[in-house]
């Protein structure tokens, strides 16, 4: 990837959701909601506190995370759509 986030920002790629119901009905793209889970592709160095000390981020590359439906800014990098958001916009890390 050719983008490096600054400060406490992270680059997230949305994970694709299953678009078929249990009975086999396929949900078209226009009716499906945007997924609220993603994988972290890159993280910034961290945020500085009032004294200038760098506070590292709690997430790392490869973590699967939860975020709000309208969180972050969508950008295209190398033809792929990714989200740029602050660490505070993340709601949690999916374990296991």
């Amino acid at each position: 990837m050719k983008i490096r986030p600054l400060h406490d920002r992270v680059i997230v790629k949305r994970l694709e959701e299953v678009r078929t119901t249990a009975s086999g009905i396929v949900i078209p793209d226009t009716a499906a909601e945007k997924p609220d889970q993603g994988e972290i592709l890159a993280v910034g160095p961290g945020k500085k506190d009032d004294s200038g000390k760098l506070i590292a981020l709690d997430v790392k590359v490869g973590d699967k995370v939860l975020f709000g439906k309208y969180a972050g800014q969508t950008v295209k990098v190398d033809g792929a759509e990714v989200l740029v958001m602050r660490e505070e916009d993340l709601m949690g890390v999916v374990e296991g």
Side-chain angles (χ1 to χ4, degrees), residues 30-71:
T30 54
E33 292 185 8
K34 290 184 176 181
D36 55 359
Q37 289 188 24
E39 181 179 353
I40 298 203
L41 300 178
V43 296
K47 191 175 187 177
K48 291 188 178 181
D49 64 7
D50 294 335
S51 64
K53 182 180 173 189
L54 189 67
I55 301 169
L57 301 181
D58 291 332
V59 294
K60 61 187 181 305
V61 174
D63 281 350
K64 288 189 170 78
V65 294
L66 295 172
F67 50 87
K69 291 191 185 297
Y70 304 106

Side-chain angles (χ1 to χ4, degrees), residues 1 23 27 37 43 52 54 72 75 80 85:
M1 173 162 284
S23 61
I27 301 170
Q37 289 188 24
V43 296
L54 189 67
V75 295
M85 64 180 74

